[in-house]
Amino acid sequence: MAATGAATAPQSPADPISEPAGGDIAAATEPPAAPAEPRPALRALSVTSEVYPLVKTGGLADVAGALPKALADHGVETVTLVPGYPRVMAALEAAEPVHFFADLFGGPARLLRASAAGLDLLIVDAPHLYDRPGGPYLDPNGQDFADNPIRFAALGAAAAAVGLGYAGSWQPDLVHGHDWQSGPAIAYLAYAEGPRPATVATVHNLAFQGQFALSLVGVLGLPPRALSVEGVEYFGSVGYLKAALRLADRVTTVSPSYAREIRTPEGGMGLDGVLRARGAAFSGILNGIDTGIWNPQADPLVPHPFGPDSLAERQGNKAALQRSLGLDEHRDALLFGVVSRLTWQKGLDLLVDRLDALMMTGAQLVVLGDGDAAIAEGLRGIAAQHPNRVALATGYDEGLAHLIQAGADALLVPSRFEPCGLTQLCALRYGALPVVSRVGGLNDTVIDANPVALAAGVATGFQFGPVSALGLEAVLHRVVELWRDRPAWRRMQENAMRTDVSWDRAAAAYAALYRQAVAERAVGE
Ligand SMILES: Nc1ncnc2c1ncn2[C@@H]1O[C@H](COP(=O)(O)OP(=O)(O)O[C@H]2O[C@H](CO)[C@@H](O)[C@H](O)[C@H]2O)[C@@H](O)[C@H]1O
């Protein structure tokens, strides 16, 4: 594959990141240089398949949306590269073309520079790949787009073009790729000749690996040596996530506990060996949440704002939540909430299994979620038996998600594995005590109400393990027991709400990691 610059650039689709004939129109149209401003300490290109609020299917979007703002306080200027899906294109106010690709995997494409929702964006406007109905990955029937490997290879080719400095005038010091969709970006940069930016790959969920037929290698335009165990080859196929984990200068995941778990054969989903081999280049940095959006004292989606010193106000939100879903408006009924994808990962089948036991305690349950039809069916069945005590809301509903956090007494997250988890962080901030399995980031963010933590006054929620229906039932009984002691419950709510769940610490850690990676690359070159 060509490295940088037009001089070496063939025009074959199998070499998508080489300089196309269109050239750099931004360079041609830019006004004369203004007096030099101090250059920001570090420029990062974030490569992601989703970013809140433009396009979201899960927590990756939240992270990609919030991290740039938090990094700005740590001397990092971030530009976010996303595919030009219809909903992204529709959100752009003013977009400036900064580069043309004559042929980006089967059609012409443009790179647009724009801002939207406070984000500085580069958009891959490739209608043949992204302008279609459906979500970012699935068609309207819920099937993966057959050309997903190509769609995200194109994102990677655009990332590499920006990273290598021949797509527009902005060039990053570092490229930060998220999940398997950014594997090609990391691979193109790793196999580029000449200087390149440092690279960081972050795993938000090891279960999604982007594994495709070996024949794809020819289409990607990677050099033959890429097809080895040291490169993109993964158990006889092409592995996008594997490539990122193997080839990025630094690899991170979203909590220290998950970083430990996925280094083991039990938790590593086939990639533990690759991760162990990275040694100290692989680490866990705990996610935060956007505390501007998730602020119970000033949340436009919450009818009764409240803080740790005005917890009584929460009662109005609980009543509003019960009313909106047709539950009895009992203030003393312990109201559990769930906001989640309904999947095996999230362990909600365990909840279905134990719902009868929960009903016997007199508690109420509100579930907002979408996904597995069998889990939804199980919940619907119980809701039909207890219409005034159990409600299931399907679909994606931002307003209801906020109201559940603000009105439920406890939030259930019984995940089988959880890289970090964001809903328990929102729950801490909103005083809905999180009830979580002792895995991954759930383990790192919730302090269990065991006798020692209660005596020390530091408990913020409930943990259970092992992750089983019986384990869940046991913790539900502990929660019900503690609910009877309202002063203790209230103390826990105050602790929970005072927990620092912001991005600040994580942003400092990412900024430090970026600087190390950039410094090492400079030395290595
Ligand atoms: N029906 C619905 N309506 C409205 N909002 C809904 C919703 N269902 C879910 N959400 C929202 O979607 C987000 C889900 O984030 P999570 O971190 O809990 O899970 P996810 O598994 O998608 O993310 C993966 O990536 C993130 C980010 O790194 C990791 O924290 C996580 O462990 C990993 O599995 C939250 O903001 C939640 O409020």
Side-chain angles (χ1 to χ4, degrees), residues 254-261 286 413-422 424-425 428 434-450 458 460-465 467 478 499:
V254 289
S255 70
S257 283
Y258 192 60
R260 275 194 301 279
E261 290 167 8
L286 199 60
V413 194
S415 305
R416 286 191 169 83
F417 67 93
E418 196 60 76
C420 178
L422 300 176
Q424 86 280 9
L425 300 181
L428 288 168
V435 182
V436 305
S437 48
R438 194 176 297 119
V439 296
L442 302 173
N443 182 46
D444 296 343
T445 52
V446 174
I447 303 175
D448 179 56
N450 57 52
V458 296
T460 59
F462 303 83
Q463 292 191 347
F464 73 96
V467 190
R478 277 209 291 138
T499 304

Side-chain angles (χ1 to χ4, degrees), residues 56-60 62-63 204-205 254 287 294 339-341 345-346 368-370 395-398 401 405 418-423 426:
K56 166 169 166 173
T57 70
L60 163 60
D62 293 307
V63 174
H204 295 266
N205 193 336
V254 289
N287 283 338
W294 291 98
V339 180
S340 182
R341 292 185 288 113
Q345 174 194 345
K346 301 293 180 181
L368 168 62
D370 228 353
Y396 182 85
D397 187 337
E398 192 90 15
Q405 297 285 8
E418 196 60 76
C420 178
L422 300 176
T423 56
C426 303

Side-chain angles (χ1 to χ4, degrees), residues 357-434:
L358 184 63
M359 288 299 98
M360 288 200 297
T361 68
Q364 298 184 338
L365 173 69
V366 168
V367 179
L368 168 62
D370 228 353
D372 189 298
I375 298 174
E377 210 35 60
L379 290 166
R380 221 173 265 123
I382 309 270
Q385 285 168 33
H386 304 274
N388 306 326
R389 291 173 51 207
V390 178
L392 169 67
T394 50
Y396 182 85
D397 187 337
E398 192 90 15
L400 185 56
H402 282 242
L403 186 58
I404 290 175
Q405 297 285 8
D409 299 304
L411 188 93
L412 277 169
V413 194
S415 305
R416 286 191 169 83
F417 67 93
E418 196 60 76
C420 178
L422 300 176
T423 56
Q424 86 280 9
L425 300 181
C426 303
L428 288 168
R429 185 143 166 86
Y430 278 57
L433 297 186

Side-chain angles (χ1 to χ4, degrees), residues 181-429:
Q181 293 89 346
S182 72
I186 304 285
Y188 285 133
L189 287 165
Y191 290 108
E193 289 156 26
R196 65 157 174 90
T199 53
V200 175
T202 293
V203 184
H204 295 266
N205 193 336
L206 202 69
F208 303 111
Q209 301 192 347
Q211 199 174 346
F212 305 111
L214 208 56
S215 54
L216 186 64
V217 155
V219 183
L220 293 178
L222 288 165
R225 71 195 156 94
L227 191 59
S228 74
V229 75
E230 306 299 319
V232 305
E233 191 275 338
Y234 182 50
F235 294 124
S237 53
V238 170
Y240 278 11
L241 182 62
K242 186 267 175 163
L245 302 185
R246 179 66 191 77
L247 298 170
D249 296 327
R250 286 283 198 289
V251 175
T252 68
T253 189
V254 289
S255 70
S257 283
Y258 192 60
R260 275 194 301 279
E261 290 167 8
I262 63 180
R263 277 191 181 98
T264 68
E266 295 74 29
M269 297 182 165
L271 286 165
D272 48 294
V274 177
L275 290 167
R276 280 196 303 276
R278 297 307 313 264
F282 169 50
S283 60
I285 298 177
L286 199 60
N287 283 338
I289 52 170
D290 188 327
T291 48
I293 294 170
W294 291 98
N295 178 4
Q297 317 210 38
D299 183 338
L301 301 171
V302 167
H304 300 272
F306 63 99
D309 299 321
S310 52
L311 270 166
E313 293 298 318
R314 266 188 122 258
Q315 185 50 44
N317 298 320
K318 179 170 176 176
L321 177 60
Q322 289 167 320
R323 213 167 28 247
S324 71
L325 293 170
L327 302 187
D328 287 337
E329 275 183 54
H330 284 325
R331 59 184 300 152
D332 284 334
L334 170 53
L335 174 55
F336 286 95
V338 171
V339 180
S340 182
R341 292 185 288 113
L342 304 182
T343 61
W344 185 85
Q345 174 194 345
K346 301 293 180 181
L348 294 167
D349 51 313
L350 305 176
L351 180 61
V352 173
D353 198 89
R354 292 293 122 167
L355 263 181
D356 281 340
L358 184 63
M359 288 299 98
M360 288 200 297
T361 68
Q364 298 184 338
L365 173 69
V366 168
V367 179
L368 168 62
D370 228 353
D372 189 298
I375 298 174
E377 210 35 60
L379 290 166
R380 221 173 265 123
I382 309 270
Q385 285 168 33
H386 304 274
N388 306 326
R389 291 173 51 207
V390 178
L392 169 67
T394 50
Y396 182 85
D397 187 337
E398 192 90 15
L400 185 56
H402 282 242
L403 186 58
I404 290 175
Q405 297 285 8
D409 299 304
L411 188 93
L412 277 169
V413 194
S415 305
R416 286 191 169 83
F417 67 93
E418 196 60 76
C420 178
L422 300 176
T423 56
Q424 86 280 9
L425 300 181
C426 303
L428 288 168
R429 185 143 166 86

